[in-house]
Amino acid sequence: MPRRVPLPPELLGRPFHVQEAVDFGVTLGRLRGADLNRPFCGVRDMLGETGDLVARCSAYATRMRGDQVFSHTTAARLWDVPLPPWIEDEPVVHVSTIGGGTRPRLPGIVGHRLVASTRCAVRRGLRVTDAGATWLQLAEVLRDDDLVIAADHFIRIPRHPDPGDPRPHIEAEQLAMRAGRHRGRGRRSALRAVERMREGSDSPRETRLRLALIAAGLPEPRLNLRIEAGGRFIGFGDLVYPEWKVVVEYDGEQHRLDSDQYRRDVARHEALLEAGWVHIRESRTTPFSGPDSAVSRTRRALALRGWR
C-alpha cells in the first residue's frame, strides 16, 4: 500500500478550503484521500473533526463570502442561548447573505437573505448576527416562554462576570427598542417577550419558574436579592418576596451531586429558617402541577404570611 503523503503543517488541526491546499502544493488526488472529511463542497477536514456545531461552522467559514454570516438558530447556539431540544439537535447550519447577494444553496446549509442594515458580531471566532438580530430571528420560531428565556440570557448581568464573555450581550433597553422597531415576522411575540424579560435571571429554569409563578396569579418576585439577618449575610435568593419573607429557588443537579455545594446549601437553608424565612426549593423532579408543585407551595406560603 503506498504511503499517504502528509499534509502541510499549516493545514493540520483545522478545516481548510481546497484552493488553499492547492496553493500549499497539495495535489487533487491527495485531497480525495480517505482520511479527509468533506463537510461542504470545496472544504476538507480531518475525519472526526467536524462533529459539533462550532466545528461545522468553522468548516463552512473557509468558503464563506464577505457578505455572509451565521444567523437564526445557528447564531443562537453560538451565543449559547438555552433552546428547546429540537433546535439544539438541528443537523443543519443557517447562513444568511446580507444585502442583495444570492443566498447559499448547499446540502446541510439553510440559506437566508437579510437586509443590509443587519448588525453583526464575532462569536467563537465566527461572524454571526448580533444579539439583537439573533433574538428577533428567534421570535419567528420560539414559543413565548422560550423567547423570554432567550431574552433573559442575552440581557443577563451576572454577579460574577466572566472576562472572556462580557455581559450583557445587549442591554434590556436596547433589546426592547429594537423589538419596537421590528416590522418583520415575530414582531408580536417579540413585543410580548420584552415586557416579561428581566435582567437578573441566572438560568432558564429560574426564568421558567418565575413565569409560572406570575402566570398563576402570584406577585412577581424580585430576582437574586441579597438576604441578610441581623447584619449577617445569608446569601442571594433566586426569586424573593421580601415583604412576606418567602424565597423560591431552583436547585440544579450540581446542588445534589457536589458534596461541598450540598453542605453549603444545607447551612444556607438552616440560616434562612432561623431568620424567619420560608425557603421553597424546586428541583428537576418537582411536579409541574398539583399540591406539591413549587407554585402551589409558594401560594400557600404567601397566604400564611398575609398575602391576599
Side-chain angles (χ1 to χ4, degrees):
M1 179 180 294
R3 182 173 178 271
R4 182 175 290 141
V5 178
L7 293 174
E10 293 86 352
L11 301 179
L12 299 178
R14 65 177 180 87
F16 55 88
H17 196 277
V18 166
Q19 185 57 55
E20 182 185 11
V22 170
D23 292 342
F24 275 112
V26 180
T27 66
L28 295 179
R30 178 65 182 90
L31 291 171
R32 290 192 289 268
D35 63 325
L36 295 180
N37 185 38
R38 299 164 178 79
F40 302 105
C41 180
V43 180
R44 298 291 186 272
D45 204 343
M46 299 301 292
L47 284 175
E49 293 185 0
T50 55
D52 65 18
L53 178 69
V54 175
R56 283 185 286 140
C57 290
S58 297
Y60 185 82
T62 64
R63 58 165 293 148
M64 181 180 275
R65 301 195 313 257
D67 62 344
Q68 292 181 343
V69 62
F70 296 107
S71 64
H72 295 78
T73 52
T74 297
R77 292 167 69 187
L78 293 171
W79 280 108
D80 295 318
V81 176
L83 295 166
W86 64 271
I87 293 179
E88 289 288 359
D89 299 333
E90 223 177 16
V92 297
V93 173
H94 292 262
V95 179
S96 289
T97 298
I98 296 179
T102 58
R103 69 184 68 186
R105 292 181 174 87
L106 282 177
I109 297 294
V110 178
H112 308 267
R113 187 181 291 113
L114 300 175
V115 297
S117 59
T118 301
R119 303 179 193 181
C120 300
V122 174
R123 183 76 176 169
R124 300 189 182 185
L126 299 165
R127 192 164 64 251
V128 301
T129 47
D130 82 335
T134 301
W135 184 76
L136 289 172
Q137 292 159 7
L138 290 176
E140 302 175 11
V141 296
L142 291 186
R143 295 176 298 182
D144 283 0
D145 283 6
D146 291 325
L147 188 59
V148 176
I149 288 172
D152 280 3
H153 171 81
F154 277 126
I155 68 173
R156 180 182 173 225
I157 303 175
R159 286 198 305 271
H160 305 291
D162 179 357
D165 186 23
R167 306 297 292 267
H169 296 314
I170 184 172
E171 294 183 355
E173 295 79 5
Q174 293 178 344
L175 190 59
M177 180 180 65
R178 291 176 67 172
R181 293 176 177 175
H182 183 58
R183 293 295 179 269
R185 291 175 53 200
R187 170 178 164 80
R188 291 183 179 179
S189 295
L191 292 176
R192 288 195 300 268
V194 295
E195 293 296 325
R196 304 167 70 206
M197 67 183 183
R198 298 294 183 267
E199 292 177 348
S201 184
D202 272 346
S203 72
R205 289 299 297 260
E206 188 177 311
T207 295
R208 201 173 293 280
L209 180 54
R210 179 187 89 237
L211 297 177
L213 293 170
I214 297 171
L218 302 182
E220 179 166 346
R222 296 174 64 181
L223 305 184
N224 285 288
L225 189 67
R226 182 183 179 93
I227 298 176
E228 297 181 351
R232 173 194 172 198
F233 172 66
I234 297 177
F236 289 92
D238 291 350
L239 307 167
V240 185
Y241 296 100
E243 301 92 330
W244 301 282
K245 297 189 75 171
V246 173
V247 58
V248 188
E249 298 187 306
Y250 176 76
D251 289 346
E253 286 297 288
Q254 76 279 6
H255 292 266
R256 180 176 62 86
L257 300 177
D258 186 325
S259 58
D260 289 337
Q261 180 67 57
Y262 181 77
R263 176 180 50 78
R264 290 192 296 269
D265 286 346
V266 170
R268 182 169 170 273
H269 174 72
E270 292 175 350
L272 286 168
L273 297 185
E274 290 174 3
W277 286 78
V278 177
H279 189 200
I280 296 171
R281 303 166 76 176
E282 184 189 55
S283 70
R284 184 174 55 85
T285 59
T286 302
F288 289 108
S289 60
D292 293 330
S293 68
V295 170
S296 294
R297 288 183 287 135
T298 302
R299 183 187 299 277
R300 292 196 297 270
L302 290 173
L304 289 171
R305 291 299 176 93
W307 170 75
R308 296 290 181 271

